[in-house]
Amino acid sequence: KMQATRHTNNISEPLMQQSTTLSPPVLASPPSPKLGLRNFKRISRTEDSSVYPIPGRAPDTLHMRVREGSKIRNLLRFASARMQEEGRDSSGRALRQVVFTGSGRGVTKTITCVEILKRKVAGLHQVSKLYYKTVNEVWEGPQQGAPGMTMQRTIPAICILLSKDPLDPQEPGYQSPQILNRSASISSDETKNSSFITQYCGCKNMKIVCSFDMPQHVIIL
Amino acid sequence: MTEQRTPGMSAAPPTAPAHPDSGSQAVEMDPVEYTLRKRLPRKLPKRRNDVYVNMKTDFRAQLARCQKLLEGGGHREICVHGLGLAINRAINIALQLQASSQGALQLAANTSTVELVDDLEPEDPDEAGEPMTRTRNNSAIHIKVFYPDP
């Protein structure tokens, strides 16, 4: 048993580093990354931009790609305008859903956007998914004519679906619409419903409510 | 100057820009006269299977701790929490756990907003500056890593 554990540790080690941009690349060719890469030039970077398949997502959802340098006010101005206009979509339907995706250092920003939008537009159901995104990079050596080096790196990414229509509460990562008045105590109904863990933050009248959907363990603290 | 009083779960680096939705009560502040002290985030409830990820502890140590809880500790599920900059690390840990379990583990991520309090202390006690506090918000993630029921 011990050996097995150690073995898995070894396997995960190459992927283990933290930072997204520094995450150790899976090298297609063997040159030592530290020594060689300084002279190498990245000539292309392609990433898989498809949205993570979330059950319950409509095909024509607005997709917001949050990057490291994106301005939250720009993203939110656009997204909240689209979400708040009723029935004035080009196709004549109101926008019911929006997907936010972000990877690497853009993950935090993605979550912040979602959290702010949830406060702006009340009653949004949420499903969050985590995954690794693969990025292919082609690097060119210092000598002209030297064969390029292809690198595949994986970076952590998040994909969050916000929907005005109810989503499947059994879906992993589902969050029901937030209670707007955060200082209000959880109603007895929801306590009975038992899909809530309340986490008292202790701060004045602050309380985080996160629904982890654990029907068998109710922890009301 | 910005500094943190004590180590903890706090993740925002000292140079982090002000949180975008730091609320309406923006205080006009002369940076020369006040010291900004970040209080620790509120103590959160901690069960045996809760892991609060920070940016100070070594990444491998935190990953190993989670693995130990799931493999040796006999827990069917653990909760990995990350705040601010540590969100990335929390996600990374969760995805690593899932990858090394060969698909046996599932993830369920929830997001939330955590209110943080900063203290503004006047540099020069002789001047009329009053100690102030400021609240701001930061994003957090809570990832349930679990073996699905057969």
Side-chain angles (χ1 to χ4, degrees), chain A residues 5 9 13 15-16 18 72 104 107 112 115 119 126 132 172-173 175 201 203 206 211-212 214 219 221, chain B residues 19-21 42 45 47 59-60 67 71 77 88-89 91-92 95-96 108-113 139 142 144:
Chain A
T5 327
N9 280 349
E13 211 167 303
L15 273 168
M16 204 180 264
Q18 251 299 291
I72 290 181
V107 165
T112 305
E115 287 295 319
R119 261 173 275 154
Q126 177 184 353
Y132 274 127
Q175 274 173 280
C201 248
C203 174
M206 158 93 189
S211 58
F212 274 117
M214 293 188 288
I219 298 142
L221 296 147
Chain B
H19 198 265
D21 61 338
R42 287 285 148 193
R47 292 162 285 169
F59 177 76
R60 290 169 196 223
Q67 270 168 340
E71 286 165 16
E77 63 171 62
N88 264 338
R89 188 171 272 199
I91 292 177
N92 227 330
L95 287 169
Q96 288 288 331
N110 277 211
T111 63
S112 73
T113 303
S139 301
H142 317 272
K144 188 169 77 159

Side-chain angles (χ1 to χ4, degrees), chain A residues 1 5 8-9 11-13 15-20 72 104-105 107-108 111-112 114-116 118-119 126 128-132 156-158 160 172-175 178 182 197-204 206 208-214 216-217 219 221, chain B residues 19-21 42-47 50 52 55 59-60 63-64 67 71-72 77 79 81 84-85 87-96 98-100 102 106-115 117 133 135 137-144 146 149:
Chain A
K1 171 103 203 215
T5 327
T8 51
N9 280 349
I11 287 175
S12 56
E13 211 167 303
L15 273 168
M16 204 180 264
Q17 300 247 337
Q18 251 299 291
S19 162
T20 52
I72 290 181
R105 273 178 281 185
V107 165
T108 316
I111 296 175
T112 305
V114 168
E115 287 295 319
I116 298 174
K118 278 196 293 184
R119 261 173 275 154
Q126 177 184 353
S128 323
K129 294 288 178 189
L130 307 175
Y131 57 100
Y132 274 127
I158 194 167
I160 302 178
Y174 171 79
Q175 274 173 280
Q178 294 271 322
R182 281 190 290 180
I197 299 176
T198 55
Q199 292 184 319
Y200 275 84
C201 248
C203 174
K204 280 175 264 170
M206 158 93 189
I208 302 179
V209 182
C210 42
S211 58
F212 274 117
D213 292 306
M214 293 188 288
Q216 61 272 56
H217 313 282
I219 298 142
L221 296 147
Chain B
H19 198 265
D21 61 338
R42 287 285 148 193
K43 269 285 164 226
L44 291 164
K46 191 151 181 352
R47 292 162 285 169
D50 273 319
Y52 287 92
M55 293 305 282
F59 177 76
R60 290 169 196 223
L63 182 64
Q67 270 168 340
E71 286 165 16
E77 63 171 62
C79 280
H81 308 262
L85 193 66
I87 288 176
N88 264 338
R89 188 171 272 199
I91 292 177
N92 227 330
I93 284 178
L95 287 169
Q96 288 288 331
Q98 191 185 33
S100 60
Q102 273 96 35
Q106 275 196 24
L107 307 181
N110 277 211
T111 63
S112 73
T113 303
V114 175
E115 211 166 277
V117 183
T133 59
T135 57
N137 292 326
N138 208 345
S139 301
I141 196 164
H142 317 272
I143 311 165
K144 188 169 77 159
F146 61 104
D149 289 325

Side-chain angles (χ1 to χ4, degrees), chain A:
Chain A
K1 171 103 203 215
M2 273 309 282
Q3 278 209 328
T5 327
R6 203 175 302 150
H7 189 55
T8 51
N9 280 349
N10 284 342
I11 287 175
S12 56
E13 211 167 303
L15 273 168
M16 204 180 264
Q17 300 247 337
Q18 251 299 291
S19 162
T20 52
T21 43
L22 296 177
S23 81
V26 182
L27 288 173
S29 49
S32 62
K34 277 215 177 110
L35 200 79
L37 273 186
R38 206 159 19 138
N39 300 325
F40 276 65
K41 235 168 67 182
R42 191 172 75 188
I43 50 175
S44 80
R45 182 174 190 270
T46 48
E47 52 185 62
D48 184 17
S49 61
S50 60
V51 184
Y52 186 90
I54 297 183
R57 178 179 167 248
D60 54 346
T61 316
L62 172 65
H63 180 199
M64 307 291 292
R65 287 185 192 87
V66 184
R67 320 202 76 138
E68 201 185 326
S70 308
K71 294 284 170 277
I72 290 181
R73 57 173 181 274
N74 295 342
L75 294 164
L76 282 176
R77 196 189 301 138
F78 184 77
S80 61
R82 294 289 302 274
M83 288 299 274
Q84 281 165 341
E85 67 184 15
E86 287 294 337
R88 274 185 286 139
D89 208 31
S90 53
S91 55
R93 280 170 297 151
L95 190 65
R96 305 296 297 171
Q97 294 186 334
V98 59
V99 176
F100 283 85
T101 54
S103 58
R105 273 178 281 185
V107 165
T108 316
K109 199 164 266 187
T110 311
I111 296 175
T112 305
C113 281
V114 168
E115 287 295 319
I116 298 174
L117 189 64
K118 278 196 293 184
R119 261 173 275 154
K120 270 191 173 172
V121 183
L124 288 177
H125 299 256
Q126 177 184 353
V127 172
S128 323
K129 294 288 178 189
L130 307 175
Y131 57 100
Y132 274 127
K133 182 162 137 181
T134 341
V135 176
N136 283 303
E137 289 180 352
V138 181
W139 292 73
E140 196 177 52
Q143 315 102 325
Q144 291 296 317
M149 192 174 67
T150 318
M151 235 186 211
Q152 202 177 54
R153 46 171 54 153
T154 51
I155 51 176
I158 194 167
C159 182
I160 302 178
L161 170 66
L162 290 176
S163 171
K164 289 180 181 172
D165 304 314
L167 299 166
D168 179 15
Q170 297 305 310
E171 184 62 33
Y174 171 79
Q175 274 173 280
S176 56
Q178 294 271 322
I179 302 154
L180 271 183
N181 186 359
R182 281 190 290 180
S183 58
S185 59
I186 311 284
S187 72
S188 58
D189 233 341
E190 278 148 358
T191 320
K192 276 181 209 140
N193 191 359
S194 83
S195 66
F196 282 81
I197 299 176
T198 55
Q199 292 184 319
Y200 275 84
C201 248
C203 174
K204 280 175 264 170
N205 44 18
M206 158 93 189
K207 190 179 288 177
I208 302 179
V209 182
C210 42
S211 58
F212 274 117
D213 292 306
M214 293 188 288
Q216 61 272 56
H217 313 282
V218 193
I219 298 142
I220 309 285
L221 296 147

